[in-house]
Amino acid sequence: MTSAEPASAPSPYSDAAQRDVANHLGMWTLIATEILFFGGLFLAYCVYRGAYPAAFSAGSHRLDFWSGTVNTAVLLTSSLFMALGDAMIRVGRRRGLQVCVTLTAGLGVLFLAIKFSEYREMYAEHLVPGIRYGAAGPPQMQLFLFLYFVMTALHAVHMLVGIGLLGWLLTLNRRGRLSRDRRAPVSMVGLYWHFVDCVWVFLYPLLYLIPR
Amino acid sequence: MSAAPLSEIGGGAGWLPEASSFAPRVDRVFDGLLAASAGMALFLTVLTLVILVRYRRGSAGSRKAVRIATWKIETAWIVATTAVFLFFFVQGTSVYLEMRRIPAGIEAINVVGRQWMWDVRYPGGRREFNRLHVRLNTPVRLLLSSEDVIHSFFVPAFRLKQDLVPGKVVEAWFDPTRAGTYMLYCAQYCGTAHAEMTGTVVVLAPDQFAAWEGGRDGGAESGSPGLAGAARGSAIFQKYGCAQCHGDAAGSRAPRLAGVYRGPVRLADGRFVLADDQFLHDAILRAPKCAVAGYAMTMPTYDGVIPEGDVLDLISYIKALPPAPASQVP
Amino acid sequence: MKANASQWAQLLVVYGALMGLLALTAGASFLPGGWWSTPVALAIATAKAFLIFYFFMRLRGQSGLVRIFAVAGFFWLAILLVLTSADYLTRLWAV
Amino acid sequence: MPPLNPPAPPSRGYLSDGTTVASWLCTRDHKRIALLYLFTITFFFLIGASAAALMRWELTRPNGDLMTSDTYNRLFTLHGVVMVWFFLIPSIPAVLGNFVLPLAIGARDVAFPRLNLASWYIFVCGGLIALYAIVVGGVDTGWTFYTPYSSTYSNSNVMVMATGIFVAGFSSIATGLNFIVTVHKLRAPGLTWFRLPLFVWAIYATSIILVLATPVLAITLALMALERGFGVGIFDPKLGGDPLLFQHLFWFYSHPAVYIMILPGMGVVSELVSCFSRKKIFGYKVMAFSILSIAGLGFLVWGHHMFVSSQSVYAGVVFSLLSFLVSVPSAIKVFNWIATLHRGSITFGTPLLYALGFLALFTIGGLTGIFLATLAVDVHLHDTYFVIAHFHYIMVGGGVMAYMGGIHYWWPKISGRMFPEGWARFSAVTIFVGFNLTFFPQFLLGYLGMPRRYHIYPAEFQTLNVISSAGAAVLAVGYLVPLCYLTWSFFHGKDAGPNPWNATGLEWQTPSPPPSHNFEQTPVVTRPPYDYPPL
Ligand code: HEA
Ligand code: HEA
Ligand code: CUA
Ligand SMILES: [Cu+2]
């Protein structure tokens, strides 16, 4: 969708600027779709938190506050490096891009590792509804924990896709396919990565910071 | 259950009767909509046909542009349409709010929906299946709940419909204004036998209602087991809704009863017992004690619901069923 | 080159603001909670999201059309939340 | 615009640019992808129609003795799922939209040709998964998948079918995204927004709905499937979950989805009415804005499917009011189409017959939608055959009629050949008659109280049901005849020439069938749309 076409293939575009705007519009449309994809989960969260505030608070306090907080910092930092990488390729610094994207992907992997250790911890504590559950507490706490797992797992799947896209950028760059004038893939992957970061920015207070 | 006779639907009237206090009000809104829509549709049809004939290619009609500014025409019909629509919105909403305003201070009848039967429990402790008896011209309040999936309590003659949602109790009410027997349907799809989750609402004049309250369905006298009992048992089997689960069309929700008698039955706890009269008796009245292996415990307890005489007739009926070809052990 | 230095500086400033907001919201969660806790946490999250959209995702340099596309998803999400709340918040009201 | 009279086509344009199977399966040409979609959805239509035929056969008997309840329940679920997600939603957008939209705006292709091809593969994947669910035993939840029946109690292949619909949803999203960007960025020079044909407006508005509503369906089906798989979930009443939340999420998608199914049809009908009355569409700007307002307001009315679900009374009132308001632009469109015919120079080609059928049947379906939006009346009519008749009048009488009209109108462009006019008129009239015979009795059945999804019904409903089934047989003839003559004419029809209807619109300035790159030079537009010479 975004890679450079071979010169022989007919392009629907008349010039590069038109293609660039089209790519941006396409990516932002995809992000709008993604907002509503997560939106169904946010709606369920709002409805049930409104209905069962105590159970949600109890569930929230079974989560590991520090894992969530550190993970937020990790993702914000990864977004910084993604933005720096974009700034690098804008002035043609391909080495700089390589370093920044590598750091971004590394922080993404770190995020997933912390997330996974959280999951494992909760599995050990019988806090996984439907798989291993035995927590004392109101039955509605399972609604919170179920939403926690679905929301964070869907987010983690998006992270995995994002890390794959970052790997693709690294490959393109190593093959010399990215430059100051051919940087659409960097912008597109960047938009996606920042968006996934934004989703977490909302998940963090909603899941980890419910007051007692 | 299938093909109810005419009288079951309309209480004798061929067209849909107006048998509750708000039925006429709903119908007046409907009639208004029908008149406006039919008038509009007819007008547009005639108009279009006239245009098609007059302005077919080569006809003599004038092709000069219309003199009125387009925006004026557009504004006119936007405003007119909106006004007509708002009129019907107000009408429909005011009647609806009245239908939802539930009169206070009436003892409620509990109606429990279950795949695929209606379990009606009256304030006095009396219980009926797939049948609701009410007194003419006396408002009735229903507390609707479901034990499994969503069902919907639908009596067309009353213009009444309300979903039964598992996990909550929903209120509904009606004021029957016409004696008769009316169809009750489950209107929300609820699985295999959704189309058979039907029943009747019987609206009785006050004296008949008092007689019904006094008796127990005319109190079937307990008869001796035997063929006559089996014949009566067949009717009772239908009446209490046994066939909903044990009938031939019911799928695999409940064990087939043909050939059960004097055979081995494997219970849920692994034991085998012999299905003798005592077992059948207990299975009907106290199902949980006789949980059969391989089935969900969905059979209601009929203790205090089915008179002892009817139980004996049911047992006669089950004994008399021709044995099934296949093994009964699930 | 100078333009770039200022651009990187700007990204770093935004990053600092993001981390500051994170510290703020994490710290606030140790205070005794009240009715204001969740609105404040969501306001901070919204501020963070705005910074990410506006600077990291470069909405500030984009045309109005792209900005409309960026807002559309949130607008439709608001429709979903508001009209569903119209049901849940009024269920117990008397008729 | 007068046609440019391009030189006679040397061959059959895009059809002869490579004839191997690979040249079709790896194509990025929007016109070939449109044909791939055409074959696929025709196949699914035949499946859905066969299910309808079996259902109508069963419904001739009140006792339900031709098939078991489980079979019947699987049939209407299969029918609803296939007809909605695998036929009608992709019908006009993915076939006619794909073929015509780039031509109509003077573009060489859509914005993302590879994504376009990928969307077809995704669609086929979803379709195969759905077919697998049908073959291994079907699904018995109804197309609405209401919980807790779907998530807990059903014993059928709910997960597989939900996966198929989930996958097909991403095909919808890809198509919508592609069309939005195409309309924004690839219009020919001079083709300003208010010079766009209304068909393009309609596809654009539909694409917005596709992109913003479909993801909500995807997450809803995923939540339902998770609940089914793990035995725990957010719709489960035992944990305090609310089955109504599922309904809110489902209808937040599925009401906008009904406008996905009708807006493209409205766009097609605008083209047909204007072309066959040789007159500019009446109130062009109002028509364009009404398309946009239907798409926008359509997101605000989903609660009208839940009036008796025990949602809040106040929410019901709000949703009822909004449902009346969303109907205003539809009414305006009907008036404008009739005003377009007024003082035109009307020829009765087959496409116009379909457009007139659309006008009549959509109006009846829409007016009965007004009945259903009226709170007090819907309490009685909800989940009866009145609703079935309402939406078949709009979706079959409106949507499918418009699709057939569009296929006939652009067939000369797609195939380069003319269809036999006599047969085509015969089948258009047959469909109209058969349709009314099938579905008008269902309004009466519904008012008398026959519930939906019932194959065992009181005996006095039999007469009307038999009439309805007889109508379905007539309808079957009306649908099968075009299948035959269109296939025949693709190979043996008369040469059409570039512009057989003398229509305006950029697509008619190319040879028929168009060459692979559509235009030799990018056209420059200087005139308003529907610029027919004065009469
Ligand atoms: C393409 C599909 C389509 C379209 C376009 C519509 C359009 C409309 N629908 Fe329909 N609808 C469905 C498909 C569709 N519907 C389906 C599939 C269901 C059932 C789903 C299920 O449960 O399985 C359904 C169910 C449904 C219900 C729920 C019924 C119930 O289950 O109880 C309601 C209730 O409000 C409703 C209303 C409307 C309205 C008000 C419109 C309006 O948009 C119609 C507007 C059009 C007009 C109004 C006609 C033109 C007007 C005039 C010519 C002017 C006349 C002027 C005057 C009267 C002054 N629809
Ligand atoms: C979106 C499009 C769409 C279309 C085009 C149709 C087309 C038709 N529909 Fe359907 N229908 C729905 C969408 C659609 N429907 C939906 C969403 C439901 C609700 C499902 C639910 O409740 O969950 C429904 C439900 C529904 C019911 C109600 C079932 C019930 O509630 O119990 C009925 C009953 O008559 C029906 C009939 C028909 C008929 C006769 C046609 C006819 O127009 C079809 C015309 C075709 C024929 C009559 C047969 C022709 C045969 C062939 C062309 C092929 C033959 C080939 C071979 C045998 C190889 N439909
Ligand atoms: Cu109970 Cu349908
Ligand atoms: Cu709707």
Side-chain angles (χ1 to χ4, degrees):
Chain A
M1 173 177 138
T2 53
S3 66
E5 303 255 354
S8 64
S11 159
Y13 302 102
S14 49
D15 57 35
Q18 190 193 20
R19 153 171 289 179
D20 189 54
V21 180
N23 282 339
H24 271 86
L25 281 181
M27 199 64 211
W28 280 105
T29 308
L30 182 70
I31 288 174
T33 293
E34 290 275 11
I35 289 175
L36 281 144
F37 193 49
F38 281 97
L41 296 171
F42 281 109
L43 174 70
Y45 176 93
C46 292
V47 166
Y48 290 134
R49 178 160 170 193
Y52 311 116
F56 268 54
S57 178
S60 175
H61 287 276
R62 303 300 298 260
L63 304 181
D64 182 7
F65 169 84
W66 286 111
S67 295
T69 309
V70 170
N71 254 348
T72 313
V74 167
L75 269 195
L76 290 175
T77 314
S78 82
S79 259
L80 169 71
F81 283 116
M82 190 70 231
L84 284 175
D86 191 38
M88 291 279 181
I89 196 69
R90 275 164 190 266
V91 292
R93 294 178 58 169
R94 289 178 34 211
R95 284 287 312 278
L97 173 70
Q98 199 76 355
V99 170
C100 285
V101 171
T102 308
L103 282 169
T104 308
L107 287 166
V109 171
L110 176 63
F111 175 93
L112 287 177
I114 295 176
K115 191 88 238 148
F116 182 72
S117 78
E118 253 184 292
Y119 283 175
R120 222 179 44 190
E121 194 63 27
M122 292 175 76
Y123 182 81
E125 292 180 27
H126 297 262
L127 285 176
V128 190
I131 296 177
R132 194 155 186 248
Y133 190 80
Q140 291 88 358
M141 207 168 100
Q142 285 199 60
L143 291 178
F144 173 83
L145 290 168
F146 183 86
L147 278 171
Y148 164 82
F149 277 104
V150 175
M151 287 168 129
T152 54
L154 188 63
H155 177 259
V157 168
H158 280 79
M159 294 285 298
L160 279 174
V161 172
I163 292 170
L165 290 172
L166 292 171
W168 173 65
L169 279 189
L170 292 175
T171 314
L172 280 183
N173 197 24
R174 211 172 323 113
R175 293 195 190 146
R177 301 271 296 275
L178 298 175
S179 66
R180 178 190 309 198
D181 308 318
R182 297 174 70 187
R183 55 163 201 266
V186 183
S187 309
M188 295 301 113
V189 174
L191 285 177
Y192 180 84
W193 187 264
H194 294 308
F195 167 73
V196 175
D197 187 5
C198 257
V199 171
W200 181 261
V201 161
F202 281 100
L203 289 183
Y204 168 64
L206 289 178
L207 295 174
Y208 290 87
L209 302 185
I210 303 182
R212 283 196 193 279
Chain B
M1 281 318 299
S2 58
L6 190 81
S7 60
E8 293 274 284
I9 315 283
W15 197 250
L16 190 65
E18 292 176 337
S20 75
S21 58
F22 42 65
R25 317 238 7 224
V26 172
D27 280 8
R28 293 301 81 75
V29 181
F30 185 93
D31 294 344
L33 281 162
L34 189 61
S37 301
M40 197 71 203
L42 201 67
F43 167 71
L44 292 179
T45 308
V46 171
L47 179 69
T48 309
L49 288 176
V50 167
I51 289 177
L52 289 177
V53 172
R54 266 194 72 178
Y55 299 109
R56 66 189 187 279
R57 168 185 281 179
S59 71
S62 156
R63 301 303 204 279
K64 277 213 283 291
V66 178
R67 298 270 290 282
I68 313 166
T70 302
W71 70 267
K72 285 185 184 163
I73 301 177
E74 298 283 358
T75 311
W77 58 44
I78 289 177
V79 171
T81 311
T82 311
V84 173
F85 284 174
L86 286 181
F87 171 76
F88 284 114
F89 163 73
V90 170
Q91 272 214 314
T93 302
S94 60
V95 173
Y96 174 73
L97 289 178
E98 209 164 302
M99 293 163 74
R100 294 298 306 162
R101 209 164 284 140
I102 298 170
I106 314 174
E107 254 193 319
I109 301 174
N110 280 296
V111 176
V112 181
R114 187 185 302 120
Q115 283 177 323
W116 292 281
M117 59 194 296
W118 299 99
D119 181 347
V120 178
R121 303 171 189 192
Y122 296 93
R126 189 162 181 181
R127 201 165 153 201
E128 284 193 292
F129 291 98
N130 297 334
R131 196 169 281 263
L132 171 64
H133 285 85
V134 296
R135 186 198 286 131
L136 184 65
N137 290 329
T138 311
V140 177
R141 193 162 70 105
L142 302 175
L143 289 179
L144 304 164
S145 60
S146 163
E147 286 191 1
D148 36 45
V149 301
I150 305 178
H151 304 278
S152 192
F153 187 92
F154 177 32
V155 184
F158 298 162
R159 313 294 186 273
L160 170 70
K161 186 182 287 109
Q162 180 60 54
D163 282 7
L164 287 66
V165 183
K168 62 204 278 191
V169 177
V170 185
E171 277 186 291
W173 77 284
F174 59 92
D175 182 358
T177 55
R178 200 165 169 283
T181 303
Y182 304 105
M183 269 312 265
L184 156 67
Y185 298 98
C186 172
Q188 181 58 267
Y189 178 69
C190 52
T192 305
H194 159 66
E196 291 165 274
M197 188 166 162
T198 54
T200 46
V201 180
V202 185
V203 181
L204 297 171
D207 48 338
Q208 287 171 303
F209 186 77
W212 173 80
E213 271 191 319
R216 277 220 149 183
D217 278 354
E221 74 284 8
S222 43
S224 59
L227 279 180
R232 279 199 305 274
S234 170
I236 299 167
F237 196 75
Q238 294 291 340
K239 175 176 143 193
Y240 287 108
C242 318
Q244 311 260 341
C245 300
H246 293 285
D248 288 331
S252 58
R253 302 188 68 235
R256 292 278 155 278
L257 297 179
V260 155
Y261 184 60
R262 296 231 139 268
V265 175
R266 180 152 174 234
L267 298 186
D269 58 11
R271 286 180 302 136
F272 277 94
V273 295
L274 188 71
D276 52 11
D277 289 65
Q278 181 62 43
F279 174 84
L280 292 180
H281 184 273
D282 287 350
I284 295 170
L285 290 187
R286 286 177 284 276
K289 272 182 59 186
C290 308
V292 181
Y295 293 94
M297 264 303 318
T298 53
M299 179 162 160
T301 53
Y302 286 92
D303 208 358
V305 178
I306 306 185
E308 195 60 36
D310 288 5
V311 175
L312 296 178
D313 288 341
L314 279 171
I315 294 176
S316 307
Y317 169 71
I318 292 171
K319 285 179 181 173
L321 285 169
S327 152
Q328 279 299 302
V329 181
Chain C
M1 207 60 229
K2 189 158 172 4
N4 281 296
S6 77
Q7 203 183 68
W8 294 340
Q10 183 198 60
L11 290 176
L12 285 170
V13 168
V14 171
Y15 173 71
L18 285 169
M19 294 308 265
L21 286 169
L22 171 61
L24 190 64
T25 191
S29 74
F30 287 100
L31 300 177
W35 62 267
W36 48 268
S37 309
T38 302
V40 166
L42 284 178
I44 293 178
T46 309
K48 279 196 256 177
F50 177 80
L51 290 176
I52 294 175
F53 268 65
Y54 199 69
F55 293 102
F56 285 2
M57 295 167 91
R58 295 182 173 274
L59 268 187
R60 63 192 288 253
Q62 290 286 5
S63 62
L65 181 64
V66 173
R67 290 188 192 186
I68 290 175
F69 274 49
V71 174
F74 292 101
F75 182 75
W76 257 264
L77 176 58
I79 293 177
L80 175 63
L81 296 177
V82 168
L83 272 173
T84 309
S85 308
D87 173 12
Y88 282 96
L89 296 181
T90 63
R91 275 204 192 164
L92 299 179
W93 291 11
V95 179
Chain D
M1 273 164 275
L4 295 178
N5 284 332
S11 63
R12 295 191 69 183
Y14 74 102
L15 292 171
S16 48
D17 257 14
T19 49
T20 58
V21 172
S23 76
W24 281 86
L25 292 184
C26 302
T27 183
R28 282 184 232 152
D29 182 346
H30 65 99
K31 301 181 285 303
R32 288 189 164 209
I33 294 172
L35 286 194
L36 292 176
Y37 267 113
L38 176 65
F39 298 134
T40 320
I41 68 164
T42 304
F43 169 73
F44 278 111
F45 177 78
L46 289 178
I47 293 181
S50 307
L54 287 171
M55 271 157 42
R56 285 308 335 166
W57 178 57
E58 162 77 351
L59 287 168
T60 55
R61 313 280 305 265
N63 309 335
D65 46 8
L66 298 177
M67 58 182 69
T68 64
S69 299
D70 280 328
T71 306
Y72 183 81
N73 297 344
R74 279 162 171 72
L75 278 176
F76 68 67
T77 305
L78 150 67
H79 169 75
V81 166
V82 166
M83 284 298 200
V84 168
W85 282 299
F86 295 99
F87 168 65
L88 199 52
I89 284 183
S91 62
I92 297 180
V95 177
L96 296 173
N98 246 325
F99 194 97
V100 176
L101 180 97
L103 287 164
I105 63 174
R108 260 162 293 175
D109 206 320
V110 293
F112 306 114
R114 289 187 200 182
L115 183 67
N116 202 12
L117 180 64
S119 86
W120 180 72
Y121 277 101
I122 297 171
F123 180 71
V124 170
C125 277
L128 288 176
I129 298 172
L131 283 181
Y132 175 76
I134 293 164
V135 170
V136 295
V139 181
D140 71 345
T141 59
W143 82 285
T144 47
F145 289 98
Y146 273 16
T147 57
Y149 184 71
S150 62
S151 59
T152 310
Y153 289 84
S154 170
N155 294 318
S156 55
N157 304 282
V158 179
M159 308 266 288
V160 185
M161 185 60 98
T163 310
I165 297 167
F166 182 92
V167 171
F170 287 93
S171 156
S172 287
I173 292 174
T175 302
L177 189 154
N178 223 330
F179 288 168
I180 289 177
V181 178
T182 305
V183 174
H184 270 286
K185 298 318 299 177
L186 296 183
R187 282 170 284 127
L191 190 56
T192 55
W193 281 93
F194 287 113
R195 285 178 180 173
L196 287 175
L198 288 170
F199 177 69
V200 175
W201 272 108
I203 293 290
Y204 176 74
T206 305
S207 302
I208 292 178
I209 307 179
L210 281 170
V211 164
L212 292 170
T214 315
V216 178
L217 175 75
I219 195 69
T220 309
L221 290 177
L223 283 166
M224 184 268 289
L226 283 172
E227 180 162 339
R228 196 175 165 81
F230 291 103
V232 54
I234 61 166
F235 306 124
D236 185 354
K238 286 191 210 60
L239 302 180
D242 185 3
L244 265 66
L245 180 61
F246 175 89
Q247 297 178 25
H248 277 296
L249 285 165
F250 180 85
W251 292 115
F252 179 85
Y253 163 79
S254 284
H255 185 84
V258 309
Y259 294 115
I260 293 173
M261 293 185 253
I262 204 67
L263 280 173
M266 294 172 157
V268 169
V269 167
S270 300
E271 303 296 310
L272 304 188
V273 167
S274 173
C275 172
F276 284 85
S277 51
R278 321 240 25 96
K279 195 161 154 278
K280 184 178 189 323
I281 202 95
F282 186 86
Y284 168 84
K285 277 199 177 178
V286 176
M287 290 297 257
F289 281 122
S290 69
I291 287 174
L292 288 181
S293 51
I294 290 175
L297 289 170
F299 275 92
L300 309 180
V301 304
W302 76 82
H304 66 209
H305 296 271
M306 301 167 61
F307 285 155
V308 301
S309 69
S310 82
Q311 80 172 337
S312 148
V313 170
Y314 294 91
V317 172
V318 170
F319 280 124
S320 171
L321 176 61
L322 290 164
S323 302
F324 278 97
L325 294 184
V326 75
S327 306
V328 173
S330 299
I332 302 314
K333 295 186 83 69
V334 171
F335 298 142
N336 277 330
W337 284 317
I338 296 177
T340 304
L341 290 167
H342 181 64
R343 303 201 167 175
S345 169
I346 302 167
T347 46
F348 294 90
T350 304
L352 185 73
L353 295 187
Y354 279 111
L356 293 172
F358 172 99
L359 271 183
L361 302 177
F362 170 76
T363 300
I364 296 177
L367 288 171
T368 50
I370 295 293
F371 285 54
L372 295 171
T374 310
L375 276 162
V377 175
D378 183 68
V379 171
H380 176 54
L381 297 176
H382 171 73
D383 269 348
T384 64
Y385 263 79
F386 194 95
V387 177
I388 301 280
H390 152 68
F391 70 71
H392 282 89
Y393 260 81
I394 294 195
M395 292 188 339
V396 185
V400 180
M401 276 274 187
Y403 173 68
M404 297 289 284
I407 288 283
H408 282 82
Y409 179 64
W410 280 297
W411 190 250
K413 185 55 62 184
I414 293 173
S415 68
R417 308 282 161 100
M418 293 306 288
F419 51 82
E421 185 71 22
W423 280 108
R425 288 185 189 188
F426 163 79
S427 63
V429 173
T430 307
I431 290 177
F432 185 81
V433 173
F435 177 87
N436 282 294
L437 202 57
T438 307
F439 292 106
F440 195 81
Q442 296 185 4
F443 282 127
L444 303 175
L445 283 170
Y447 178 76
L448 292 175
M450 178 165 167
R452 292 170 71 170
R453 299 168 173 171
Y454 265 43
H455 70 127
I456 298 174
Y457 55 84
E460 67 250 57
F461 294 151
Q462 186 172 10
T463 311
L464 288 168
N465 268 303
V466 168
I467 296 174
S468 177
S469 296
V474 178
L475 200 49
V477 173
Y479 283 135
L480 289 174
V481 170
L483 200 62
C484 301
Y485 68 70
L486 286 178
T487 308
W488 175 85
S489 73
F490 192 90
F491 301 102
H492 307 293
K494 283 206 314 283
D495 253 350
N499 191 355
W501 314 117
N502 266 323
T504 63
L506 293 176
E507 72 267 30
W508 301 108
Q509 299 187 19
T510 61
S512 299
S516 290
H517 307 323
N518 296 352
F519 298 94
E520 296 306 324
Q521 299 100 14
T522 303
V524 176
V525 180
T526 55
R527 308 271 189 89
Y530 310 112
D531 192 26
Y532 289 99
L535 293 165

